[in-house]
Amino acid sequence: MSSRLEWLGSLPLEDAEAQLLTCCASRRWARKMVANRPYMDEASLDEAARAGIRELDWADIEEALSAHPRIGDRAEAAKPQELSQREAQWSQEEQSGTASAEAAVLEELRARNIAYENRFGHVFLIRATGRSAGEMLSELHRRLHNSVEDERLAVRAELADITVLRIRKLLGLI
């Protein structure tokens, strides 16, 4: 077991939950992850995170989505606490593909984000890490045509990917 996994396993329940909530804002998910400690290796932690996302009710997914800004919007820390600032910094890093995007692409992202929210009732979620603004816009266009059921599956998959990336950041693995 790595020292970072030992660190996560040794935290008091409330502290561990607070740390994990920066990776996924679903309280149910964070409580389950804390309850299933210790994790023997990175692979078991990753799988537990993904399994936890798959098991969430849609209301829990919506709770997690509430912590994600629109693609192209800058995340701001809601409170001057370290954890909120960490989430805002991660979001900004993850969406770095929009930093150099042309104004027309950003404007179309804004317009399509609103269309998406009107259609599905929540923010468009995509693992933005490593993707350009154009790639994210293309995926947004494609997913606007999904059924509600298909889109919920896509959102779960994206949330799981984002969550695993953030856990690795939390543990200093990337």
Side-chain angles (χ1 to χ4, degrees):
M1 180 184 308
S2 77
S3 62
R4 296 303 291 168
L5 288 173
E6 289 175 6
W7 166 78
L8 181 61
S10 70
L11 289 174
L13 291 175
E14 288 180 6
D15 292 346
E17 185 175 328
Q19 294 290 331
L20 288 168
L21 281 169
T22 66
C23 302
C24 176
S26 164
R27 290 173 298 205
R28 183 170 166 228
W29 175 86
R31 283 191 292 266
K32 182 173 182 170
M33 292 295 293
V34 169
N36 289 330
R37 294 178 305 166
Y39 296 97
M40 300 312 293
D41 54 40
E42 294 168 28
S44 63
L45 178 62
D46 289 354
E47 180 48 39
R50 289 181 186 283
I53 298 292
R54 285 191 302 268
E55 296 167 6
L56 292 176
D57 295 331
W58 188 250
D60 299 312
I61 297 290
E62 288 177 317
E63 179 181 32
L65 291 174
S66 71
H68 290 270
R70 285 180 178 156
I71 294 296
D73 284 356
R74 188 168 283 242
E76 301 296 339
K79 302 172 220 159
Q81 298 172 326
E82 175 190 345
L83 299 180
S84 295
Q85 291 174 354
R86 178 189 300 149
E87 289 172 282
Q89 179 184 350
W90 284 348
S91 183
Q92 186 176 10
E93 290 168 1
E94 291 160 0
Q95 291 197 38
S96 64
T98 63
S100 61
E102 294 179 12
V105 172
L106 292 175
E107 186 55 40
E108 190 169 357
L109 268 172
R110 280 186 205 92
R112 295 295 176 194
N113 273 317
I114 292 168
Y116 179 95
E117 290 168 19
N118 288 337
R119 174 155 165 63
F120 295 109
H122 56 79
V123 70
F124 171 69
L125 188 72
I126 187 168
R127 180 197 42 80
T129 301
R131 289 183 167 147
S132 70
E135 290 170 319
M136 290 182 276
L137 180 58
S138 177
E139 185 66 5
L140 177 51
H141 277 287
R142 186 189 69 75
R143 286 175 47 194
L144 267 167
H145 299 289
N146 279 349
S147 68
V148 170
E149 182 179 313
D150 286 345
E151 186 54 22
R152 286 184 174 191
L153 291 172
V155 166
R156 281 182 193 275
E158 296 292 339
L159 182 60
D161 287 350
I162 293 165
T163 300
V164 168
L165 282 171
R166 287 182 173 190
I167 287 171
R168 289 174 182 231
K169 288 178 184 179
L170 175 69
L171 297 178
L173 300 172
I174 56 171

